[in-house]
Amino acid sequence: MKNVSTAGIAAAIFASFTWSMNFVAPFVVGNYSIFDLAACRFLLSGLIGMVILIASAHLCRGLTLRDWFVAGGLGFIGYVGYFLTVMVAAVYAGPVIPPAFLGLVPVVLAIAGNYRGRSISWLPLLIPLALAATGLLLVNGSSIMQADVQGEKSLVTGIAFAIAAVALWTWFGIANQNALLKRPNMDARVWTTLMMIGGSIQTLAFLPIGYGMDLFRAPDLGFGLGAIRNLYLPALMLAAVASIGGAWAWTIASQRLPVALAGQLLMTEIVFATCFGLMVQHRLPTIAEAAGMMVLVLGVVMAINAFHTPRRLRAA
């Protein structure tokens, strides 16, 4: 079993914190669309990645063309493609139900990771996973019940894309660790920037498609000084902190933790996102939300303890 390191745990929690900022994005774009913000964010991520790559040129001498292609593919699966499926899910099913489904990512990733790698026996994971499912239900339950979705067909389409997003990120979590296992000497900064540059190139390719689908409002609103507060600054913050910082931290976590534990630690993203949402709404959590967050944190603590405690693998 891969050794459980404190640095890996801290990196996974930091990645979860940075990615929770994504849930605040719709509140800061003003009249711009979330697609404007995403395009600007991923393009800036690529530019920042190129700067980091140039500054780390001495670490790039052993890179192969395969490294570039693999990292670029992972950049699409875990970032660009994932984001697009999330956005389509939100368009069809509204802003509430897709995040509730996406909350299943840590649970699915933990199960898939342990099924594939058998880091520990299943018994110690049962209680943390049960607590995670209960916490997610408590945090999202009332919102789902109050969700306003127009039409059964729209709901089915939205849920289908939300499930696709869960599948994409689970795929990314496992494939990314496999790629890093094959590259034990890969620097986390270099790997992160390769993914971001790949995602930026894919975003450029998507721009004409998005324009044809009338997804962008920036061409009408303008790209001048008026876009600084609602577009450029939020995009730069998300690019530097959530994209580059989060991906870098997740790369470190993937190099130091079993996928099953890293997946459990992603639960903290839901806690951070809920706290950010409460701050934006200027309210205190409901009893169910507070209980849900406490149960989620308890599940994470128990998962960490399960991986720290030596146990002999037992047949499932």
Side-chain angles (χ1 to χ4, degrees):
M1 184 181 83
K2 182 181 293 189
N3 291 330
V4 178
S5 72
T6 302
I9 292 173
I13 294 176
F14 178 76
S16 300
F17 173 76
T18 63
W19 291 335
S20 68
M21 296 171 61
N22 292 323
F23 292 91
V24 187
F27 298 100
V28 299
V29 294
N31 293 324
Y32 290 92
S33 76
I34 194 69
F35 293 96
D36 294 319
L37 179 64
C40 192
R41 165 193 177 174
F42 288 125
L43 291 175
L44 285 173
S45 297
L47 290 175
I48 296 172
M50 290 180 66
V51 172
I52 296 175
L53 204 62
I54 293 172
S56 308
H58 62 288
L59 299 173
C60 305
R61 292 168 187 162
L63 290 178
T64 65
L65 190 60
R66 180 175 177 79
D67 292 333
W68 280 92
F69 276 114
V70 171
L74 288 169
F76 175 80
I77 295 170
Y79 295 94
V80 181
Y82 171 76
F83 174 80
L84 291 176
T85 54
V86 169
M87 289 301 100
V88 174
V91 168
Y92 282 97
V96 174
I97 292 179
F101 271 84
L102 297 180
L104 294 174
V105 168
V107 178
V108 176
L109 184 59
I111 293 174
N114 201 56
Y115 178 80
R116 186 183 179 281
R118 288 308 302 265
S119 302
I120 61 174
S121 63
W122 286 105
L123 188 59
L125 275 180
L126 289 180
I127 295 179
L129 287 173
L131 289 173
T134 303
L136 288 170
L137 183 62
L138 288 170
V139 171
N140 296 307
S142 60
S143 297
I144 294 175
M145 295 298 293
Q146 298 171 13
D148 182 18
V149 181
Q150 296 181 349
E152 181 178 342
K153 184 177 180 181
S154 175
L155 176 61
V156 171
T157 303
I159 290 177
F161 274 93
I163 293 173
V166 173
L168 276 178
W169 221 96
T170 303
W171 180 14
F172 168 77
I174 295 175
N176 184 50
Q177 188 181 65
N178 288 342
L180 290 170
L181 286 174
K182 295 176 182 177
R183 299 165 175 82
N185 297 320
M186 177 64 68
D187 183 82
R189 289 170 298 173
V190 173
W191 191 246
T192 298
T193 55
L194 293 184
M195 287 194 292
M196 293 301 105
I197 293 172
S200 181
I201 294 172
Q202 294 149 16
T203 300
L204 280 173
F206 173 75
L207 288 181
I209 300 174
Y211 183 78
M213 296 173 63
D214 199 27
L215 298 177
F216 303 119
R217 296 177 189 167
D220 297 323
L221 296 174
F223 297 94
L225 296 177
I228 292 177
R229 192 179 81 172
N230 293 119
L231 185 58
Y232 299 148
L233 286 180
L236 180 61
M237 176 68 72
L238 287 175
V241 179
S243 292
I244 298 292
W248 169 70
W250 185 254
T251 299
I252 293 175
S254 297
Q255 291 174 325
R256 291 166 170 78
L257 299 176
V259 173
L261 177 56
Q264 282 286 85
L265 292 172
L266 274 179
M267 287 294 173
T268 55
E269 180 182 353
I270 306 302
V271 177
F272 292 132
T274 302
C275 291
F276 279 137
L278 293 172
M279 290 171 61
V280 170
Q281 296 173 19
H282 299 96
R283 69 175 179 87
L284 295 173
T286 63
I287 294 177
E289 289 169 337
M293 287 189 287
M294 287 189 290
V295 170
L296 282 171
V297 172
L298 178 60
V300 168
V301 172
M302 291 188 67
I304 294 173
N305 180 67
F307 279 86
H308 267 299
T309 303
R311 283 184 171 89
R312 184 174 299 173
L313 286 173
R314 294 184 288 270

